[in-house]
Amino acid sequence: MLTTDFVAGSPCWLDLGSPNVEGAVDFYSDVFGWDHQSAGPEAGGYGVFRKDGRDVAALGPLTEEGASSAWTVYFRTLDADATAKAAEQGGATVRVAPFDVTDAGRMACLTDPCGAEFAVWQPGTVKGLQTVTEPGSLCWTELHTSDPTAAKAFYRGIFGWRSEDVKVPGMTYTVLSTAAGEDQQRASFGGVVPFREPADKPHWLPYFEVPDVDQVVALTEGNGGSVIMPAADAPDIGRMAWLADPYGAAFAVIKSVTPPAEPAPSAG
């Protein structure tokens, strides 16, 4: 599961590139109850979404020519330069070479060999998101790709991720875990999904935990967003939906199944 004990290879940051920053602020504020705080005029329109006073995501204007609105998942690395080099050697494209973000950290923007965009973050003063897994925050990340086998090999090569294939109706779902952690299930943070349709595009899809999926679906549609996959129940996992904001950025929401409480120790 995701925690803020960010180990190497774990999702640690998330931001949205949007053609309409003000419109995106309004949308996500209404849908998730997020507040928005600008990083200041020197940040070029970049700012942070906060929930209960803690950083849960970020937002900025689109800066790459021809880019579409999308969420970008950042994965923690101890050395952004080394990871970017390893990714390039593994067939990835380095869209933005490693650079320092003041003293906050060092980052690079990459595209994996199958076409999914992601970023890496070498922390400085900013370690990562301040809240995950709680309602209104990131709880899972999912890679949608045309070639799950090649994708698993690529990311294993740069992050050492472990994987476990699980049979679900109609496909094989791969659960991803960081290299660190004795319990592979507890170290899991995301999955790999093969394309459902030939027209699908490779991307990383962030999941946000919510208390009521159907309410979020209604708020999304009421605020100009759209439904990609209607709300549905997944046994032993939770109720989920795939959505898009008014500018086309895809995201998912889930109300996770609460694991059963462990029995209290016997007083005898």
Side-chain angles (χ1 to χ4, degrees):
M1 61 179 288
L2 279 179
T3 73
T4 53
D5 295 327
F6 300 118
V7 300
S10 65
C12 63
W13 192 256
L14 180 75
D15 64 20
L16 171 66
S18 180
N20 186 334
V21 170
E22 291 184 2
V25 167
D26 290 341
F27 174 81
Y28 289 98
S29 297
D30 286 342
V31 170
F32 291 133
W34 290 346
D35 298 316
H36 179 260
Q37 181 177 331
S38 171
E42 68 280 0
Y46 198 82
V48 178
F49 282 121
R50 313 195 86 194
K51 180 76 171 178
D52 300 325
R54 302 183 70 80
D55 298 349
V56 293
L59 166 68
L62 291 174
T63 57
E64 295 182 47
E65 185 176 351
S68 300
S69 185
W71 284 97
T72 298
V73 179
Y74 290 63
F75 298 98
R76 180 157 185 177
T77 178
L78 301 178
D79 187 331
D81 295 79
T83 301
K85 182 178 180 180
E88 190 170 31
Q89 291 174 338
T93 299
V94 179
R95 301 193 327 278
V96 180
F99 68 97
D100 291 326
V101 185
T102 62
D103 62 349
R106 187 167 177 82
M107 64 171 286
C109 299
L110 311 167
T111 302
D112 74 23
C114 297
E117 297 182 354
F118 68 103
V120 295
W121 181 254
Q122 176 185 331
T125 58
V126 175
K127 307 307 179 186
L129 301 174
Q130 295 175 335
T131 297
V132 296
T133 309
E134 299 295 325
S137 69
L138 181 70
C139 65
W140 193 252
T141 59
E142 196 169 74
L143 175 62
H144 293 233
T145 181
S146 60
D147 192 339
T149 300
K152 286 186 288 184
F154 167 75
Y155 288 102
R156 184 169 58 249
I158 62 172
F159 293 127
W161 288 349
R162 294 172 286 178
S163 62
E164 181 181 3
D165 291 341
V166 180
K167 292 292 184 181
V168 298
M171 68 171 183
T172 297
Y173 189 91
T174 299
V175 177
L176 299 171
S177 305
T178 57
E182 292 184 10
D183 188 326
Q184 187 169 339
Q185 184 175 0
R186 285 185 177 273
S188 64
F189 62 85
V192 180
V193 178
F195 282 172
R196 298 190 306 162
E197 304 290 341
D200 288 348
K201 294 182 179 180
H203 65 283
W204 278 96
L205 183 71
Y207 277 67
F208 299 103
E209 185 71 33
V210 296
D212 188 329
V213 168
D214 297 272
Q215 181 184 53
V216 172
V217 171
L219 286 169
T220 295
E221 292 184 300
N223 284 278
S226 57
V227 176
I228 300 172
M229 183 184 77
D233 294 316
D236 301 321
I237 297 173
R239 186 165 178 80
M240 66 186 74
W242 296 349
L243 308 168
D245 71 21
Y247 312 102
F251 63 98
V253 293
I254 184 170
K255 178 177 172 56
S256 301
V257 170
T258 304
E262 295 185 4
S266 170

